[in-house]
Amino acid sequence: MTGDVKLKEKDKEKEVVFEVKDLNLWYGNDHALKDINLAIKKNQVTAIIGPSGCGKSTFIKTLNRMIENIPSVKITGEINYQGKSIFDKSVRVEELRTRVGMVFQKPNPFPKSIFNNVVYGPRIHGIKDKQVLMEIAETSLRQAALWDEVKDRLNDNAYGLSGGQQQRLCIARCLAVQPDVILMDEPTSALDPIATYKIEELMESLKKDYTIAIVTHSMQQAARISDETAFFLMGELIEFDKTTEIFSNPKDQRTEDYITGRIG
Amino acid sequence: MLDHKMLKNKMLDKDRISRRIRLNSFIRSLFSFSTIFSLLVLGVLLYQVGVDSIGWLDLKFLTSNLSIFPEKAGIYGAIIGTVMMMLIVIPVTTILGVSTAIYLEEYAKKGKLQYFINVNISNLASVPSVIFGLLGLTVFGRLLNLGSSILAGGLTMSLLVLPIVVVSAQEAIRAVPGYLREASYAMGASKWTTIWKVVLPVAIPGILTGTILAMSRAIGETAPLVVLGIPTLIMKIPNSVMSDFTALPIQIYYWTLDSVLKPEYANLAAATIVVLLVILFVMNSTAVLIRNKFQQKF
């Protein structure tokens, strides 16, 4: 099944991680996602852009089924994760979310120490050895480019960190669970340009080991960091292509209007 | 077209402005009078009780047993009774109350049934304590044949304060921001793991504050115990949960009633009131301290 998509995309070396087919989603009677078809490929950054309320956050939260925490949500269609439907009865959301991590719009560390924030995931998944936890904490914080700033105060409360540091802590916390995919829902929208720059740099280095899907408000950000870009408008996927294509040679008029700032 | 000039003159009318200012100062004095009045009444009551207890409240009063002779009487038995009753009330209400709150807030489907249960719990919190006394008398006293024992009293009191504990625990749990739960779920945590590791640690100060306030209500309540038929005069110190007992508010009640027979009983009641007030004051201050110390800054 994934083979077809690979051929279609003419990109044989890239393996498909998420394959979305005819996805529709409703909040009560509000049709929020309409017939979405796209593929998220391994070890690259897929950006999802579009104006507010276009369904991009809804879409990314569907990939790890966090959207189901909202009671009125109804979903049809298919999402395959590594060839298997995530809506299958045998799939447990706990397992899916361990493999598919998420970083939120607003930094949301727990009111605990920096160390306890990072090792929260490994701990709940049964790793108790203090030595191992310490190593996980160091590795994850290094990957999130935060280690040097916090190594001397791992036992301080995470709320003492700046907004940008908190967001990198959340990324480290997400990495500590060793996911395959990281979903990012506007991770830099609450941050200043320098903190944003650090996180963008970080994504560049993370894509060697992880697959990243990022929702972003900023077209410049999508252009800077992503390999492929999906443009959503009013719940529809208007265009999905290589980022260079989308920004230099958009096929759809609406995409062009959006990226040139005429709408949105 | 609006006549702007007319409107402007009207709004700048000196008489109107000074009338509004006068009204404001009148309202202010009215409200401050209400505050001062209640404080004054409270002050007079405390003063009266304090004066009446002078000479009666000493260590001997706290450590002696009950007696029909005012000079010999003490409240040792009542203190033990209250303490033993609370040893039943505290575990019963915290375990049942917090579990119920967690179920209603985190597990129960948000819908008509959950709303119905919530409204009823809030209503129960305002049912007069006499009604709970009657319920306790019927179920624990008569049906389960526990009589007027500490167990019957403790369970009745638990019923009385349970709704308060549930409501305050629900509020504390509801105040935990959703984005903390989301962070936990997004790492593959189950609901219970999230409740245990994220929600409860944040909610505990609020739960504790509500629980302590509920406990001080249980210590001060009289009516349910009167309805249960706590005997007027108990000479024996209770030694098990099945013993008959007396508690501090009951002691105050009976001594006040009996002060027509011997005026000294009024002084004993006053001394007991002081003891009870001190206990309540300490408990409520603890609740306030906990709230201030752990108040989350979200």
Side-chain angles (χ1 to χ4, degrees), chain A residues 94 97 108 112 120 125 159, chain B residues 179 184-187 197 298:
Chain A
E94 286 83 359
R97 289 174 194 161
N108 57 356
K112 301 174 190 278
Y120 178 87
H125 293 299
Y159 280 43
Chain B
Y179 55 78
S184 177
Y185 292 141
M187 275 181 280
K197 299 258 182 173
F298 290 115

Side-chain angles (χ1 to χ4, degrees), chain A residues 228-248:
Chain A
E228 287 193 296
T229 297
F231 170 58
F232 278 62
L233 187 66
M234 295 168 78
E236 280 177 83
L237 174 61
I238 304 297
E239 196 166 345
F240 178 51
D241 209 334
K242 293 229 167 357
T243 301
T244 45
E245 279 296 302
I246 290 267
F247 283 95
S248 60

Side-chain angles (χ1 to χ4, degrees), chain A residues 200-245:
Chain A
E200 288 183 7
E201 242 189 348
L202 180 60
M203 279 188 261
E204 193 57 38
S205 70
L206 287 176
K207 80 179 189 189
K208 284 196 300 291
D209 305 307
Y210 304 91
T211 304
I212 298 174
I214 176 176
V215 165
T216 175
H217 239 70
S218 147
M219 285 170 281
Q220 290 85 346
Q221 184 169 60
R224 280 193 299 263
I225 58 168
S226 68
D227 300 287
E228 287 193 296
T229 297
F231 170 58
F232 278 62
L233 187 66
M234 295 168 78
E236 280 177 83
L237 174 61
I238 304 297
E239 196 166 345
F240 178 51
D241 209 334
K242 293 229 167 357
T243 301
T244 45
E245 279 296 302

Side-chain angles (χ1 to χ4, degrees), chain B residues 47-117:
Chain B
Y47 174 77
Q48 196 62 49
V49 167
V51 167
D52 285 350
S53 71
I54 288 172
W56 295 87
L57 183 58
D58 51 19
L59 197 63
K60 205 180 114 264
F61 179 70
L62 295 178
T63 54
S64 319
N65 210 346
L66 214 51
S67 164
I68 45 169
F69 305 108
E71 315 75 49
K72 284 195 199 160
I75 52 169
Y76 183 63
I79 291 176
I80 296 295
T82 290
V83 168
M84 288 182 75
M85 188 184 79
M86 292 314 291
L87 286 180
I88 293 170
V89 178
I90 293 170
V92 170
T93 48
T94 42
I95 293 169
L96 282 181
V98 177
S99 314
T100 308
I102 291 177
Y103 176 73
L104 288 175
E105 283 305 309
E106 299 284 334
Y107 285 105
K109 272 222 171 68
K110 305 276 171 286
K112 283 210 176 95
L113 183 67
Q114 192 241 15
Y115 178 75
F116 178 77
I117 294 175

Side-chain angles (χ1 to χ4, degrees), chain B residues 27-268:
Chain B
I27 296 281
R28 197 179 68 178
S29 18
L30 190 72
F31 287 177
S32 57
F33 173 76
S34 315
T35 314
I36 292 168
F37 178 77
S38 0
L39 285 177
L40 214 64
V41 172
L42 188 69
V44 169
L45 277 174
L46 285 179
Y47 174 77
Q48 196 62 49
V49 167
V51 167
D52 285 350
S53 71
I54 288 172
W56 295 87
L57 183 58
D58 51 19
L59 197 63
K60 205 180 114 264
F61 179 70
L62 295 178
T63 54
S64 319
N65 210 346
L66 214 51
S67 164
I68 45 169
F69 305 108
E71 315 75 49
K72 284 195 199 160
I75 52 169
Y76 183 63
I79 291 176
I80 296 295
T82 290
V83 168
M84 288 182 75
M85 188 184 79
M86 292 314 291
L87 286 180
I88 293 170
V89 178
I90 293 170
V92 170
T93 48
T94 42
I95 293 169
L96 282 181
V98 177
S99 314
T100 308
I102 291 177
Y103 176 73
L104 288 175
E105 283 305 309
E106 299 284 334
Y107 285 105
K109 272 222 171 68
K110 305 276 171 286
K112 283 210 176 95
L113 183 67
Q114 192 241 15
Y115 178 75
F116 178 77
I117 294 175
N118 267 333
V119 169
N120 276 291
I121 289 176
S122 306
N123 282 340
L124 277 180
S126 52
V127 166
S129 51
V130 176
I131 312 286
F132 279 100
L134 287 170
L135 183 68
L137 177 68
T138 319
V139 177
F140 304 124
R142 303 268 161 81
L143 213 62
L144 300 178
N145 222 2
L146 298 174
S148 53
S149 63
I150 295 182
L151 190 57
L155 291 176
T156 307
M157 242 6 146
S158 303
L159 279 187
L160 172 70
V161 297
L162 196 52
I164 308 175
V165 175
V166 174
V167 170
S168 62
Q170 271 183 295
E171 269 158 21
I173 290 170
R174 217 175 294 150
V176 178
Y179 55 78
L180 293 182
R181 291 185 184 84
E182 278 201 322
S184 177
Y185 292 141
M187 275 181 280
S190 66
K191 199 148 219 176
W192 170 243
T193 310
T194 303
I195 294 170
W196 183 244
K197 299 258 182 173
V198 177
V199 177
L200 282 182
V202 177
I204 279 292
I207 294 176
L208 222 52
T209 309
T211 310
I212 294 175
L213 292 178
M215 292 310 135
S216 56
R217 165 115 195 254
I219 285 184
E221 269 297 341
T222 323
L225 298 181
V226 173
V227 175
L228 264 184
I230 304 290
T232 33
L233 191 59
I234 295 182
M235 299 301 197
K236 274 199 224 127
I237 304 295
N239 54 13
S240 88
V241 288
M242 294 312 292
S243 312
D244 274 343
F245 75 114
T246 180
L248 290 170
I250 286 287
Q251 213 47 60
I252 295 169
Y253 176 67
Y254 285 133
W255 267 333
T256 312
L257 283 186
D258 291 348
S259 62
V260 287
L261 307 174
K262 275 188 193 168
E264 290 88 347
Y265 281 141
N267 298 87
L268 291 175

